[in-house]
Amino acid sequence: MRIAIINGPNLNLLGKRETDIYGNKPFEVYLDELKKQFPDVAFTYFQSNIEGELVDELQRVGFEFDGIVLNPAAYTHTSVAIGDAIAAIKTPVIEVHISNVHAREDFRKLSHVSGKSVGSIFGLGMKGYEFAVRWFIDKN
Ligand code: DQA
Protein backbone atom coordinates (compact mmCIF):
# COMPACT_ATOMS: atom_id res chain seq x y z
CA MET A 1 0.00 0.00 0.00
CA ARG A 2 1.30 3.43 -0.97
CA ILE A 3 0.53 6.43 1.22
CA ALA A 4 1.69 9.98 0.59
CA ILE A 5 2.12 12.41 3.46
CA ILE A 6 2.05 16.05 2.40
CA ASN A 7 2.75 18.95 4.74
CA GLY A 8 2.25 22.62 3.98
CA PRO A 9 4.00 25.83 4.99
CA ASN A 10 5.99 26.18 8.20
CA LEU A 11 5.59 22.52 9.10
CA ASN A 12 9.30 22.14 8.28
CA LEU A 13 9.76 24.02 11.57
CA LEU A 14 7.92 21.50 13.73
CA GLY A 15 9.91 20.97 16.91
CA LYS A 16 11.06 24.60 16.88
CA ARG A 17 7.87 26.44 16.01
CA GLU A 18 5.31 27.48 18.70
CA THR A 19 6.10 24.35 20.68
CA ASP A 20 3.26 25.03 23.11
CA ILE A 21 0.85 24.42 20.21
CA TYR A 22 2.73 21.98 17.97
CA GLY A 23 5.02 20.10 20.36
CA ASN A 24 8.76 19.49 20.45
CA LYS A 25 9.18 16.83 17.80
CA PRO A 26 10.58 17.51 14.33
CA PHE A 27 8.37 15.87 11.69
CA GLU A 28 11.27 13.73 10.38
CA VAL A 29 11.58 12.08 13.80
CA TYR A 30 7.84 11.38 13.89
CA LEU A 31 7.95 10.04 10.32
CA ASP A 32 10.59 7.48 11.29
CA GLU A 33 8.34 6.29 14.11
CA LEU A 34 5.42 6.05 11.70
CA LYS A 35 7.46 3.99 9.23
CA LYS A 36 8.45 1.57 12.01
CA GLN A 37 4.84 1.31 13.12
CA PHE A 38 3.61 0.50 9.61
CA PRO A 39 6.43 -1.50 8.00
CA ASP A 40 4.19 -2.72 5.17
CA VAL A 41 3.27 0.77 4.02
CA ALA A 42 5.41 2.49 1.39
CA PHE A 43 5.44 6.14 2.46
CA THR A 44 6.44 9.20 0.50
CA TYR A 45 6.88 12.48 2.32
CA PHE A 46 6.70 15.94 0.77
CA GLN A 47 6.76 19.33 2.49
CA SER A 48 6.62 22.72 0.83
CA ASN A 49 6.09 26.33 1.78
CA ILE A 50 4.82 27.05 -1.74
CA GLU A 51 1.17 26.59 -2.67
CA GLY A 52 1.72 25.54 -6.30
CA GLU A 53 4.24 22.89 -5.27
CA LEU A 54 1.64 21.34 -2.99
CA VAL A 55 -0.83 21.29 -5.91
CA ASP A 56 1.86 19.66 -8.12
CA GLU A 57 2.52 16.95 -5.50
CA LEU A 58 -1.22 16.24 -5.06
CA GLN A 59 -1.47 15.79 -8.84
CA ARG A 60 1.66 13.62 -8.91
CA VAL A 61 0.50 11.13 -6.28
CA GLY A 62 -3.23 11.57 -6.84
CA PHE A 63 -3.88 8.82 -9.37
CA GLU A 64 -1.65 5.92 -8.28
CA PHE A 65 -1.44 6.04 -4.51
CA ASP A 66 -3.88 4.42 -2.05
CA GLY A 67 -4.17 7.38 0.29
CA ILE A 68 -2.95 10.90 0.95
CA VAL A 69 -2.55 12.35 4.44
CA LEU A 70 -2.55 16.11 3.94
CA ASN A 71 -1.84 18.91 6.37
CA PRO A 72 -2.06 22.03 4.19
CA ALA A 73 -1.29 24.22 7.26
CA ALA A 74 -2.20 27.88 6.64
CA TYR A 75 -3.22 27.16 3.02
CA THR A 76 -6.15 25.17 4.45
CA HIS A 77 -7.87 28.44 5.17
CA THR A 78 -7.02 30.28 1.95
CA SER A 79 -6.32 27.92 -0.94
CA VAL A 80 -9.08 27.28 -3.45
CA ALA A 81 -6.36 25.71 -5.64
CA ILE A 82 -5.56 22.99 -3.10
CA GLY A 83 -9.28 22.28 -2.61
CA ASP A 84 -9.71 22.03 -6.39
CA ALA A 85 -6.68 19.71 -6.66
CA ILE A 86 -8.21 17.32 -4.13
CA ALA A 87 -11.46 17.32 -6.09
CA ALA A 88 -9.54 16.67 -9.33
CA ILE A 89 -7.56 13.60 -8.21
CA LYS A 90 -8.67 10.01 -7.60
CA THR A 91 -6.74 9.11 -4.44
CA PRO A 92 -8.71 9.79 -1.23
CA VAL A 93 -7.35 12.50 1.05
CA ILE A 94 -7.56 12.75 4.83
CA GLU A 95 -7.02 16.28 6.18
CA VAL A 96 -4.95 16.40 9.36
CA HIS A 97 -4.23 19.31 11.69
CA ILE A 98 -2.02 18.94 14.72
CA SER A 99 -3.83 21.64 16.67
CA ASN A 100 -7.55 22.02 17.23
CA VAL A 101 -8.23 24.62 14.56
CA HIS A 102 -11.76 25.13 15.89
CA ALA A 103 -10.46 26.20 19.29
CA ARG A 104 -8.20 28.92 17.83
CA GLU A 105 -8.74 32.12 15.81
CA ASP A 106 -11.90 32.34 13.72
CA PHE A 107 -10.00 32.41 10.41
CA ARG A 108 -8.81 28.86 11.13
CA LYS A 109 -12.41 27.57 11.18
CA LEU A 110 -12.68 27.88 7.38
CA SER A 111 -11.24 24.96 5.43
CA HIS A 112 -11.14 24.72 1.63
CA VAL A 113 -10.04 21.12 2.11
CA SER A 114 -12.53 19.47 4.51
CA GLY A 115 -15.41 19.32 2.03
CA LYS A 116 -13.21 17.64 -0.59
CA SER A 117 -11.61 15.12 1.81
CA VAL A 118 -12.95 11.77 3.00
CA GLY A 119 -12.47 12.98 6.56
CA SER A 120 -10.64 15.39 8.81
CA ILE A 121 -8.68 14.98 12.04
CA PHE A 122 -7.70 17.94 14.20
CA GLY A 123 -6.44 18.58 17.70
CA LEU A 124 -4.93 15.14 18.34
CA GLY A 125 -1.32 16.22 17.87
CA MET A 126 0.98 14.25 15.59
CA LYS A 127 -1.08 11.14 16.36
CA GLY A 128 -3.57 12.46 13.82
CA TYR A 129 -1.25 11.27 11.02
CA GLU A 130 -1.14 7.77 12.53
CA PHE A 131 -4.94 7.60 12.81
CA ALA A 132 -5.28 8.66 9.17
CA VAL A 133 -2.83 5.95 8.01
CA ARG A 134 -4.68 3.36 10.09
CA TRP A 135 -7.96 4.34 8.45
CA PHE A 136 -6.51 3.79 4.96
CA ILE A 137 -5.20 0.37 6.02
CA ASP A 138 -8.43 -0.74 7.74
CA LYS A 139 -10.70 0.36 4.94
CA ASN A 140 -9.12 -2.15 2.50
C1 DQA B 1 -2.14 23.57 11.32
C2 DQA B 1 -3.21 24.59 11.69
C3 DQA B 1 -3.19 25.78 10.75
O1 DQA B 1 -4.19 26.72 11.09
C4 DQA B 1 -1.83 26.48 10.83
O2 DQA B 1 -1.78 27.53 9.90
C5 DQA B 1 -0.69 25.54 10.68
C6 DQA B 1 -0.76 24.21 11.26
C7 DQA B 1 -2.07 22.41 12.32
O3 DQA B 1 -1.49 21.40 11.98
O4 DQA B 1 -2.57 22.53 13.44
O5 DQA B 1 0.36 25.93 10.15
O6 DQA B 1 -2.45 23.02 10.05
Side-chain angles (χ1 to χ4, degrees):
M1 147 164 282
R2 285 200 281 174
I3 294 183
I5 299 180
I6 303 177
N7 274 343
N10 300 304
L11 294 174
N12 54 314
L13 294 183
L14 285 173
K16 293 185 196 140
R17 168 195 184 200
E18 295 175 284
T19 51
D20 50 324
I21 299 174
Y22 300 113
N24 293 303
K25 200 175 276 190
F27 194 78
E28 290 69 18
V29 172
Y30 178 72
L31 187 62
D32 277 349
E33 292 171 13
L34 208 56
K35 286 178 178 167
K36 286 196 187 100
Q37 216 175 331
F38 300 104
D40 297 335
V41 173
F43 286 103
T44 62
Y45 176 57
F46 181 82
Q47 188 278 330
S48 177
N49 296 325
I50 298 167
E51 184 177 11
E53 288 186 359
L54 295 166
V55 170
D56 284 346
E57 182 66 3
L58 284 165
Q59 292 184 5
R60 191 184 76 79
V61 298
F63 294 90
E64 312 277 321
F65 279 56
D66 302 292
I68 299 171
V69 182
L70 172 66
N71 184 346
Y75 288 136
T76 308
H77 319 300
T78 61
S79 179
V80 173
I82 290 177
D84 280 355
I86 297 169
I89 61 179
K90 294 269 179 278
T91 300
V93 170
I94 297 180
E95 174 190 16
V96 170
H97 299 285
I98 295 165
S99 66
N100 182 350
V101 283
H102 294 282
R104 299 179 65 190
E105 300 96 326
D106 279 349
F107 69 84
R108 294 186 205 275
K109 293 183 176 135
L110 170 69
S111 171
H112 290 280
V113 168
S114 300
K116 310 278 167 56
S117 302
V118 286
S120 303
I121 298 170
F122 47 83
L124 305 182
M126 295 250 196
K127 275 232 165 225
Y129 293 86
E130 173 192 328
F131 296 143
V133 170
R134 209 173 278 288
W135 188 85
F136 282 124
I137 292 169
D138 289 353
K139 98 180 205 325
N140 286 323

